[in-house]
Amino acid sequence: MDVRQPISANGGDWLTKFGDQWKTQTTQIKEKFRDKIEEICLPPDYPTDVPILFVKKEGILEVLNFLKSEPGFEYGFLADITATDEEEEPRFHVVYNLFSQVHKCRIRLKVRVRDGELVPSATAVWKGADWAEREVYDMFGIKFEGHPDLRRILMDNRWVGHPLRKDYPLRGYQVFTEPMPVDPDLLA
Amino acid sequence: MEAQKSQLGLPEGYVVEHDPDDLWGDSRVIVNIGPTHPAMHGALRMVAKLNGETIEKSYCEFGYTHRAKEKLGENRTFHNFIVYTDRLNYCSALLNNVVYAMSVERLMGIEVPDRCVWLRMICCEMARIIDHLICIGINAVDLGAFSFFLYGFHQREEAYTLIEKLCGARLTTSYARIGGMMADAPEGWEKDLKIWIAKTRTVIDEMDNLLTNNKIWKKRTVGVGVFDKEKCLQYSYSGPNARAAGIDIDLRRDQPCLFYKDVEFDVPIAQNGDVFDRYMVRLAEIRQSLNILSQCADKMKKGPIWTEDKRVRIPDKDVVYNTMEGMIHHFKFFMTGFDVPAGEAYTQFEAANGELGFYIVSKGSPRAHRMRIRGPSVWHFQGISPMVQGEKLADMVAALGSINIIAGELDR
């Protein structure tokens, strides 16, 4: 089923408010990072609330840095890093939700990755991306390159499997025979 | 150092790690606080390496109450998931319900009637007041001011009585529905609300007089747990914790949803970003929320609380019990659920502690393809280690209480 409808914003239509700004911003980004942007999805044509930029994983840090500090964009607030399991190749989308505290608007970046591929860590841009990326690793098994301490965060360190993958079973339990490993932070 | 080495007659290449602050000669103590500890707000764990009483290094751990909410969100229908949103931030369950309902409505393109919106605003602001009362109350208890907490908790109980009249539950409310509310407010509820608002105003003034200028309180909080503007941006702080550091952002004002553009309120800002400023911002926000509440109670008119959209409308009970079609509709609604059109939206709202967001990806089925919950507590808890670096251990308790970590939202 594919019902294409523009997603209305709750209170005040973002499409009329930011529509032109989104168009100019996305064309600007497209011109600047010509080969690094895979695809741009704009709201009325694609069922989303804010524009989505599909970025190649090699270029994600550059684009994030640009969006964070470039005047006119200033998406300085990292609202969220998460991922989705699309069940087709490339399997995962790593999703970055950004918010501009200056212009009060939002944008979404996505990186398509195959199972086992490394994504550059956004901790180089925002220190706070640390735990969000650890959670993505824990839940989806996507590894981040250059992350200072990529360990599981919600699940036990001995856990096998990544729960939010679509092929992960809903029921079942794991028995640990090994004792809990000593935390590397304690020895540091 | 070299002279010292030769004095001790150490072999070549041996490194003496001498720290001038280290009085007792490498006497680091590792202190483990939590997961179950009265100073921890929920099942959190913090491990601190101490030099004397100063925290040299620390790290935090959580996940002890992980209930796989995001996985459940992908395996329950959109209607079924409402009850799970209560258990996110259990101090402001009403607010979570409302934001979740809003995010699904946004995907479906549903508008709710005016009375429903006002009711939701009242829910949000009451939840915010309850959450702030708990935060400042518990923060004060941690630092030894017990009676202050009781003033706030009494008002909180009164608020729960009001909420009980709305939906029959006190803590886990499940009040919002997609496209409406579970039930309308009972007759005369607005009057009760106004009495509660008036009472709470006086109580807040009393609490303010009791604690704000207290010498001990000020010594324990001013300049403690400082998290400045730059760090707040690095660690994605939002809500009162960011406003205490001078970041002038309030999503109610800057990205208005519901009817927030029709009510008047101020956004309190502080500059220092320490525990005291967070306390002051929360106290001022309670007063602003009370203002919003009284405006809502005045502006709320009688009317329907359910949208006309047949997709999400739960059939009335007399139709269910007396007609075949109604019965089938009822079963289809609760067993199969309604289809949400394909699309994705990240809906965010200024929750009591910061930006609460639901990133929902739908592929056109009654279950979400991805249900991501962005709780502010995760991002705030992440900042606790750099916040308490170099502070005393007792100040860690003050700092942790002031950023209001809710374990349910942290672990999801």
Side-chain angles (χ1 to χ4, degrees):
Chain A
M1 192 180 130
D2 191 7
V3 185
R4 291 288 158 106
Q5 62 163 36
I7 289 170
S8 65
N10 34 6
D13 195 353
W14 285 6
L15 204 62
T16 48
K17 200 172 166 189
F18 297 119
D20 298 335
Q21 191 187 336
W22 286 340
K23 278 205 184 95
T24 51
Q25 282 192 352
T26 44
T27 42
Q28 241 178 301
I29 295 167
K30 180 103 188 165
E31 272 167 28
K32 186 156 169 61
F33 300 101
R34 202 170 294 275
D35 52 336
K36 280 168 188 150
I37 306 285
E38 284 177 346
E39 194 184 343
I40 289 173
C41 301
L42 277 167
D45 313 321
Y46 187 85
T48 173
D49 53 343
V50 293
I52 304 173
L53 304 172
F54 283 93
V55 187
K56 280 188 184 149
K57 67 179 171 45
E58 298 83 34
I60 183 67
L61 287 190
E62 235 175 288
V63 178
L64 282 175
N65 258 322
F66 174 81
L67 287 175
K68 187 189 174 190
S69 46
E70 183 74 12
F73 293 86
E74 285 153 325
Y75 291 97
F77 183 81
L78 176 70
D80 201 9
I81 297 181
T82 182
T84 57
D85 185 353
E86 297 297 328
E87 296 170 285
E88 57 181 33
E89 281 302 320
R91 185 169 176 185
F92 299 110
H93 289 177
V94 180
V95 184
Y96 301 79
N97 278 308
L98 306 184
F99 174 52
S100 167
Q101 294 187 329
V102 182
H103 307 288
K104 320 280 193 267
C105 57
R106 288 177 188 269
I107 201 163
R108 185 171 306 133
L109 271 68
K110 286 193 179 185
V111 178
R112 294 192 177 106
V113 274
R114 285 166 202 282
D115 201 352
E117 273 185 339
L118 289 167
V119 186
S121 167
T123 45
V125 190
W126 286 279
K127 274 185 197 156
D130 185 345
W131 282 16
E133 285 179 350
R134 271 176 71 184
E135 195 181 324
V136 171
Y137 164 68
D138 191 358
M139 292 294 152
F140 291 93
I142 301 168
K143 286 195 173 148
F144 290 90
E145 201 175 1
H147 189 284
D149 177 29
L150 199 65
R151 281 182 294 136
R152 285 181 182 273
I153 190 163
L154 285 168
M155 310 300 285
D156 195 288
N157 276 330
R158 292 161 288 181
W159 197 264
V160 180
H162 300 284
L164 275 180
R165 289 186 175 204
K166 287 284 177 191
D167 52 9
Y168 189 85
L170 266 185
R171 281 162 200 272
Y173 56 92
Q174 293 183 12
V175 179
F176 304 126
T177 47
E178 300 282 307
M180 182 80 170
V182 176
D183 219 297
D185 272 2
L186 265 182
L187 304 172
Chain B
M1 197 69 90
E2 284 307 311
Q4 226 175 7
K5 248 186 196 176
S6 58
Q7 213 175 2
L8 291 168
L10 289 170
E12 197 64 31
Y14 188 89
V15 185
V16 181
E17 286 174 358
H18 182 72
D19 177 1
D21 295 337
D22 189 355
L23 295 176
W24 310 100
D26 198 31
S27 62
R28 301 296 189 277
V29 176
I30 289 169
V31 176
N32 177 61
I33 312 157
T36 50
H37 187 276
M40 287 313 213
H41 298 209
L44 324 169
R45 178 168 172 238
M46 186 159 180
V47 182
K49 195 158 129 194
L50 302 182
N51 177 12
E53 263 196 79
T54 312
I55 297 173
E56 274 196 346
K57 193 178 169 151
S58 64
Y59 73 92
C60 306
E61 231 174 45
F62 62 98
Y64 296 96
T65 50
H66 178 57
R67 293 145 297 168
K69 287 231 183 294
E70 293 178 5
K71 188 80 175 172
L72 282 167
E74 294 169 12
N75 290 287
R76 296 279 183 276
T77 63
F78 282 98
H79 176 81
N80 288 156
F81 193 66
I82 294 171
V83 289
Y84 295 106
T85 59
D86 292 338
R87 280 86 174 163
L88 286 172
N89 183 344
Y90 36 73
C91 294
S92 47
L94 281 171
L95 207 155
N96 295 323
N97 298 158
V98 169
V99 181
Y100 173 68
M102 276 185 349
S103 57
V104 181
E105 281 158 15
R106 197 171 168 203
L107 273 171
M108 300 183 79
I110 291 172
E111 295 270 329
V112 289
D114 284 3
R115 186 178 170 82
C116 179
V117 176
W118 287 116
L119 211 50
R120 283 179 177 189
M121 273 178 74
I122 289 175
C123 288
C124 288
E125 294 310 314
M126 275 183 86
R128 192 184 314 278
I129 291 170
I130 290 170
D131 205 300
H132 284 353
L133 279 175
I134 291 176
C135 174
I136 58 176
I138 300 285
N139 197 7
V141 168
D142 285 346
L143 302 183
F146 197 79
S147 51
F148 174 82
F149 155 79
L150 291 177
Y151 282 83
F153 246 54
H154 179 79
Q155 253 354 79
R156 175 178 175 266
E157 285 301 308
E158 296 291 318
Y160 275 143
T161 309
L162 276 178
I163 292 170
E164 199 177 0
K165 281 182 188 165
L166 271 184
C167 56
R170 290 172 82 86
L171 200 71
T172 48
T173 51
S174 305
Y175 184 40
R177 292 285 181 273
I178 294 150
M181 298 305 256
M182 186 185 84
D184 200 349
E187 196 69 30
W189 190 78
E190 288 97 319
K191 225 165 70 190
D192 293 346
L193 178 69
K194 277 180 184 165
I195 295 168
W196 180 78
I197 293 167
K199 184 77 197 346
T200 311
R201 278 218 175 91
T202 58
V203 170
I204 293 298
D205 290 343
E206 250 179 319
M207 287 168 78
D208 195 356
N209 290 337
L210 187 65
L211 194 64
T212 307
N213 289 319
N214 183 308
K215 264 188 199 164
I216 305 170
W217 171 251
K218 276 200 154 174
K219 283 210 163 166
R220 286 299 307 274
T221 54
V222 175
V224 169
V226 178
F227 216 58
D228 58 24
K229 204 171 175 176
E230 181 49 40
K231 276 188 188 161
C232 279
L233 287 173
Q234 280 285 334
Y235 285 90
S236 294
Y237 267 43
S238 52
N241 298 336
R243 287 194 284 278
I247 297 174
D248 190 5
I249 281 289
D250 189 322
L251 298 180
R252 289 175 294 170
R253 182 195 64 194
D254 300 329
Q255 275 192 354
C257 53
L258 302 174
F259 285 153
Y260 276 101
K261 52 184 179 306
D262 299 335
V263 293
E264 282 178 16
F265 63 100
D266 292 332
V267 179
I269 302 282
Q271 294 304 326
N272 301 328
D274 55 7
V275 176
F276 186 72
D277 278 4
R278 278 177 223 133
Y279 158 77
M280 286 306 278
V281 164
R282 284 205 163 83
L283 207 57
E285 264 185 31
I286 294 177
R287 293 203 171 102
Q288 294 304 324
S289 290
L290 288 170
N291 287 345
I292 298 174
L293 272 180
S294 59
Q295 289 175 53
C296 292
D298 287 336
K299 289 186 177 174
M300 194 161 74
K301 300 280 180 299
K302 286 220 162 354
I305 53 160
W306 271 95
T307 171
E308 290 301 310
D309 200 315
K310 286 281 180 289
R311 287 177 295 175
V312 294
R313 181 80 172 86
I314 297 173
D316 287 326
K317 281 289 174 285
D318 60 331
V319 181
V320 173
Y321 293 142
N322 296 319
T323 65
M324 175 67 94
E325 292 77 16
M327 180 67 97
I328 294 169
H329 185 187
H330 180 90
F331 269 100
K332 284 293 275 183
F333 186 91
F334 287 104
M335 305 305 283
T336 321
F338 47 84
D339 287 348
V340 172
E344 57 177 84
Y346 175 66
T347 310
Q348 63 289 320
F349 183 69
E350 183 76 28
N353 291 323
E355 181 179 316
L356 172 68
F358 283 90
Y359 173 58
I360 303 178
V361 183
S362 173
K363 298 256 158 152
S365 76
R367 289 170 176 79
H369 175 71
R370 177 84 172 98
M371 174 83 70
R372 162 74 177 167
I373 304 154
R374 192 262 189 212
S377 286
V378 185
W379 304 79
H380 294 164
F381 195 44
Q382 189 180 1
I384 205 84
S385 274
M387 192 190 287
V388 299
Q389 184 100 33
E391 306 237 4
K392 299 277 183 278
L393 182 64
D395 293 340
M396 188 279 288
V397 178
L400 187 75
S402 73
I403 56 171
N404 201 12
I405 304 296
I406 309 286
E409 190 177 64
L410 189 63
D411 296 340
R412 293 184 301 272

